[in-house]
Amino acid sequence: MDLAEKLMYVTVQVRCELEGGGLSQGTGFIFTYSKGNRSLPVLITNKHVVCGASKTRLAIPYVHTENGIDERRSFCITVDGGEAVWVKHPDDSIDLCALPLQSVFDLMLRHDSEAHHVALDESIIPSQAQLDKLSPFENVIMIGYPIGLIDEVHNAPLMRKGMTATHPRYDYNGQSIFLIDCACFPGSSGSPVFLLDNGPYVEDGVLTFGMQRFKFLGVMFSGPVQRATGEVDVIDIPTTQRLIATTVIPTNLGNVIKARKLTELGDVFWKMAESELAE
């Protein structure tokens, strides 16, 4: 598989049954933290996706290899424990959380010993120096499940294309975010946002041919909307579709948490792992 096809295996539709009834839907993606010879696979999404959850339903896509042929399959599981099983970013203002997946992958391997999952990792998070070299106008792709849409036969996400609306170099309004110009609908919360160039591109003022460029820029979480009365608000990308008393007009803009904030979430996991070893 080429890189673009591998990215189709990274995301997982997150469906949470809520304590008060109803269903919250969003996007998660598989991410692996590594330190030395240890690795910690997790599923990352937004805090507001799992807020009030009583249980979480997942259908994790994986690669089954048999006789040299790769086949797309899914492992379905319901995770009990509600919101409490999700580890949250320590900063309340950062809308990120993660679900440990090692026990889920152990069950998946018992179900199918030839299962192989695809994950993102910290090696593809750009440094500030790399962000400084980008153009203010970069093409981006976002992978997820807008309005809950999914290729149910193949358990495959939808891919959307847009561009940066603010320079990824800068922290927009002093926050660890940047904006993209891309249609962001309910279900897009938690979608990973990538820079992926297969053709010529300009970086640091230099035109480059014949090389692929790939960077994990961040995680979609909210977007500005304009109310019919004229006010502009920033709201979480909704996880449920419901009737509301006011009319909002989407701006086709989305707020993206910079990928570097995932490292801080990883620090929480490593501290938890060290505590378990000490006991």
Side-chain angles (χ1 to χ4, degrees), residues 129-166:
Q130 290 173 317
L131 293 178
D132 289 345
K133 293 180 180 180
L134 298 183
S135 164
F137 310 104
E138 297 282 4
N139 292 324
V140 297
I141 59 171
M142 180 173 69
I143 305 176
Y145 309 92
I147 59 173
L149 291 174
I150 182 174
D151 178 351
E152 295 184 3
V153 173
H154 302 98
N155 187 29
L158 277 66
M159 287 143 286
R160 316 204 72 162
K161 189 172 183 179
M163 65 178 297
T164 53
T166 64

Side-chain angles (χ1 to χ4, degrees), residues 38-52:
R38 300 186 64 191
S39 61
L40 297 172
V42 300
L43 181 69
I44 290 177
T45 189
N46 294 142
K47 293 174 181 176
H48 76 264
V49 171
V50 301
C51 182

Side-chain angles (χ1 to χ4, degrees), residues 9-251:
Y9 286 84
V10 166
T11 60
V12 179
Q13 188 172 39
V14 179
R15 297 179 177 178
C16 296
E17 295 182 17
L18 302 178
E19 293 284 0
L23 181 70
S24 170
Q25 295 187 117
T27 300
F29 58 92
I30 302 169
F31 192 89
T32 299
Y33 291 105
S34 298
K35 182 181 288 188
N37 61 356
R38 300 186 64 191
S39 61
L40 297 172
V42 300
L43 181 69
I44 290 177
T45 189
N46 294 142
K47 293 174 181 176
H48 76 264
V49 171
V50 301
C51 182
S54 60
K55 60 182 62 177
T56 306
R57 301 203 305 266
L58 305 171
I60 299 176
Y62 68 87
V63 183
H64 173 88
T65 302
E66 191 169 324
N67 298 323
I69 299 175
D70 290 336
E71 182 180 304
R72 186 182 184 94
R73 295 189 181 179
S74 301
F75 179 68
C76 299
I77 189 169
T78 298
V79 180
D80 293 322
E83 187 179 348
V85 300
W86 292 83
V87 177
K88 297 180 179 179
H89 191 285
D91 186 338
D92 291 340
S93 69
I94 304 299
D95 194 356
L96 290 175
C97 64
L99 176 73
L101 284 181
Q102 187 58 62
S103 60
V104 174
F105 287 149
D106 290 343
L107 290 173
M108 187 168 73
L109 284 172
R110 292 179 202 168
H111 168 75
D112 185 344
S113 61
E114 296 298 320
H116 304 278
H117 70 271
V118 178
L120 306 177
D121 60 48
E122 290 175 279
S123 69
I124 58 173
I125 296 176
S127 65
Q128 185 60 47
Q130 290 173 317
L131 293 178
D132 289 345
K133 293 180 180 180
L134 298 183
S135 164
F137 310 104
E138 297 282 4
N139 292 324
V140 297
I141 59 171
M142 180 173 69
I143 305 176
Y145 309 92
I147 59 173
L149 291 174
I150 182 174
D151 178 351
E152 295 184 3
V153 173
H154 302 98
N155 187 29
L158 277 66
M159 287 143 286
R160 316 204 72 162
K161 189 172 183 179
M163 65 178 297
T164 53
T166 64
H167 200 310
R169 167 196 301 169
Y170 301 120
D171 287 352
Y172 180 70
N173 279 339
Q175 305 174 65
S176 299
I177 67 173
F178 68 99
L179 271 63
I180 60 173
D181 185 351
C182 189
C184 305
F185 288 91
S188 296
S189 289
S191 294
V193 176
F194 303 100
L195 185 156
L196 178 59
D197 284 314
N198 289 313
Y201 60 85
V202 176
E203 186 171 281
D204 202 20
V206 177
L207 180 61
T208 301
F209 293 89
M211 292 181 63
Q212 186 179 66
R213 186 173 59 154
F214 175 61
K215 292 177 171 61
F216 172 39
L217 295 180
V219 185
M220 167 64 56
F221 77 105
S222 71
V225 297
Q226 185 174 30
R227 300 195 181 277
T229 52
E231 297 93 343
V232 175
D233 293 332
V234 176
I235 63 171
D236 291 338
I237 301 298
T239 55
T240 57
Q241 297 185 61
R242 60 189 186 278
L243 293 175
I244 55 178
T246 59
T247 301
V248 295
I249 305 167
T251 60

